[in-house]
Amino acid sequence: MSLVREWLVRFRWLQRSSTLRLAALLSGIFAIGFVVAIFVALTLGQRANERRLDATLEILAQGNSAAEIDRGTAALILRPLDDLSGLPDPFRRAALRGGGTVFLRDDLMRSDVWRVLVAQDNTGLPIMVGIPIDDSEDAQELLAQILWTTAAIVIALTLAIGVWAGLLAQRRLAQINTTLDRLASGDLSARSGHSKSKDDLDDMSQNLDQTAAELERLVSQTRHLSASIAHDLRTPLARLRAQLEMLPASDGRGAALEEASHLSDVFDTIMRVARIEAGQGRDGFEPLVMDDFVREMAEIYGPVVEDEGKILAVDVVSPATVQADRGMLVQAMANLIQNALVHGGDRIILFVDGPKMGVADNGAGVDPAQFAEIIKPMVRLDAARSTQGSGLGLALVRAVADRHGARLDLAENTPQGLRIAINFTEL
């Protein structure tokens, strides 16, 4: 079954290949044109041959007299129209219509194909003239066989060359498409490796590689800059916190220390996001049983949720195992739980549904039109500005999902609330 499935996948790929469809279309147009040209050539050639034979028959008729001709020989039939006795019925039918080609079931004078014409003799009387044309018909059939055989060979070669050229072009397009997929998944080191053919696909590959190189440079600079800023600010922030702790106890000192801790958490999150986004390859990935994982997360964070007066539950619809970095997923799930604690209702659910794992709550929820905004770094909706947070929690979760080649899905929970899932469907 696996072999059949593999061939079905390949067949679907061939159906989707624009280059192969173009090659097949052009080969089909060429084949139709070739067949029409041969058909027209054979038809016109046959008609020209018939006109030549009719001219010969007319000359033979004019050179004889109906009163003097005998009943014919093996190479010629000359008969008055009123004396066609002894001839097969096809001759009489041909004479009635003025002539034509006669095909006989049985040989007549060692020939079964005759050309017949009704013409006037040298006295002006109508006579029927016929000559055997077996050789002419055989030559016509041989010519037709040669032309059709040649057409079949040329069409097959044209189709083979077209498919070969299409496959070469499709291979290069597939390489470009693979490079784009890798770039979209976060692998900015992907390159298509343009060839030396100096055509439009080569130009496209070269431009893609140049764009990818520039994108990799800019993203690397941005990540390095954000991480450097966060790292450099941690030292003066630590000094500020130490100086604040040395001040006399007061409400202002406590608020300042709380803000300093909040800033330190923001910088730590920025650095974690930068490290996750900068990671490449699958080092540290291992098989992860997702239902066991969420139960462990529930045991760890259950007491924290209960302290806030809320309920933490686990819902496993269908278990699954994926290749994942456990440490990153712990960070992601912790951020989702924290997000639900701050913005959700009184019930938090850790769920596993096949390749999906995430957190659902019964809070006020988020307008679906805002889903794309809340996963951006440093973005906080108006309703969330009155609560503590930095707007980096979902950005970190998205970075973890991207690092795994997964997708971050946001949806409205039923009957209310928000449902956020890391979807490993593509793995």
Side-chain angles (χ1 to χ4, degrees):
M1 289 297 293
S2 59
L3 182 61
V4 174
R5 189 179 297 109
E6 181 181 353
W7 277 105
L8 287 176
V9 171
R10 290 184 179 181
F11 180 71
R12 289 195 209 99
W13 174 77
L14 290 175
Q15 284 183 318
R16 290 174 51 84
S17 173
S18 58
T19 55
L20 291 181
R21 281 189 289 183
L22 179 60
L25 176 62
L26 294 178
S27 298
I29 293 174
F30 176 77
I32 293 173
F34 207 161
V35 169
V36 170
I38 292 176
F39 179 78
V40 171
L42 290 175
T43 301
L44 294 179
Q46 185 175 6
R47 290 180 180 177
N49 188 48
E50 289 174 352
R51 287 195 297 269
R52 180 180 60 81
L53 291 173
D54 290 344
T56 301
L57 292 174
E58 189 169 358
I59 293 173
L60 290 174
Q62 291 175 356
N64 292 274
S65 171
E68 299 175 353
I69 59 177
D70 55 19
R71 300 185 67 83
T73 66
L76 178 66
I77 294 177
L78 288 170
R79 294 286 186 88
L81 286 183
D82 56 358
D83 183 16
L84 299 179
S85 61
L87 293 177
D89 288 340
F91 280 92
R92 285 191 286 272
R93 288 195 294 269
L96 289 176
R97 63 177 182 265
T101 302
V102 176
F103 297 93
L104 303 177
R105 293 183 179 179
D106 300 317
D107 288 355
L108 176 65
M109 294 182 284
R110 292 181 293 182
S111 179
D112 59 356
V113 184
W114 293 75
R115 184 66 183 178
V116 175
L117 179 68
V118 175
Q120 293 179 347
D121 64 2
N122 53 15
T123 63
L125 295 176
I127 62 173
M128 187 193 74
V129 187
I131 58 174
I133 57 171
D134 297 76
D135 293 341
S136 177
E137 285 296 315
D138 291 343
Q140 187 77 7
E141 290 181 4
L142 179 60
L143 177 62
Q145 292 176 0
I146 293 173
L147 289 177
W148 289 123
T149 303
T150 303
I153 294 174
V154 172
I155 291 172
L157 287 175
T158 302
L159 182 60
I161 294 173
V163 171
W164 175 73
L167 285 173
L168 289 181
Q170 185 63 33
R171 182 185 301 174
R172 297 171 64 190
L173 288 174
Q175 190 174 10
I176 293 174
N177 191 46
T178 300
T179 303
L180 289 172
D181 288 341
R182 290 175 59 190
L183 290 173
S185 65
D187 183 6
L188 300 183
S189 63
R191 299 292 184 271
S192 62
H194 54 276
S195 63
K196 304 297 183 181
S197 54
K198 301 301 181 183
D199 56 9
D200 53 346
L201 292 180
D202 187 45
D203 294 339
M204 184 186 300
S205 299
Q206 187 173 2
N207 290 334
L208 174 61
D209 289 349
Q210 292 176 351
T211 303
E214 183 65 14
L215 179 63
E216 182 180 23
R217 184 184 67 82
L218 293 175
V219 171
S220 177
Q221 285 183 351
T222 303
R223 290 173 177 171
H224 180 71
L225 178 62
S226 61
S228 297
I229 292 174
H231 183 272
D232 292 343
L233 288 178
R234 291 183 66 185
T235 300
L237 186 61
R239 293 173 181 171
L240 176 62
R241 182 182 179 85
Q243 293 177 0
L244 289 174
E245 290 178 348
M246 295 173 61
L247 295 176
S250 65
D251 293 340
R253 173 179 174 274
L257 285 173
E258 184 176 351
E259 287 298 323
S261 297
H262 174 63
L263 287 175
S264 180
D265 292 340
V266 170
F267 292 144
D268 288 341
T269 304
I270 291 175
M271 293 182 66
R272 286 200 301 271
V273 171
R275 284 195 296 269
I276 292 172
E277 291 180 341
Q280 297 294 336
R282 302 180 71 84
D283 294 339
F285 280 55
E286 60 183 357
L288 180 77
V289 181
M290 290 198 292
D291 49 319
D292 293 341
F293 176 75
V294 296
R295 289 189 179 95
E296 292 176 11
M297 295 295 296
E299 291 180 2
I300 295 173
Y301 288 94
V304 178
V305 175
E306 291 177 0
D307 289 344
E308 296 291 330
K310 298 183 179 184
I311 300 173
L312 181 64
V314 174
D315 180 20
V316 177
V317 178
S318 57
T321 301
V322 296
Q323 289 289 329
D325 186 304
R326 185 182 184 86
M328 290 186 189
L329 289 184
V330 168
Q331 294 183 54
M333 291 296 290
N335 278 26
L336 291 179
I337 294 172
Q338 179 64 28
N339 187 73
L341 272 175
V342 176
H343 305 291
D346 59 356
R347 183 175 177 82
I348 301 172
I349 299 175
L350 308 185
F351 66 86
V352 174
D353 186 2
K356 298 180 181 180
M357 175 180 65
V359 176
D361 64 66
N362 62 344
V366 178
D367 185 354
Q370 300 291 330
F371 284 168
E373 291 296 317
I374 61 176
I375 60 177
K376 295 179 180 179
M378 311 301 291
V379 172
R380 302 187 70 200
L381 302 182
D382 293 338
R385 294 188 184 277
S386 59
T387 60
Q388 185 179 4
S390 61
L392 288 169
L394 291 182
L396 185 142
V397 177
R398 181 182 182 181
V400 170
D402 292 343
R403 181 72 174 79
H404 286 77
R407 189 175 66 243
L408 187 62
D409 293 338
L410 282 74
E412 295 178 292
N413 196 25
T414 304
Q416 70 176 34
L418 182 64
R419 183 182 180 90
I420 305 177
I422 301 175
N423 189 346
F424 294 89
T425 302
E426 302 300 327
L427 296 182

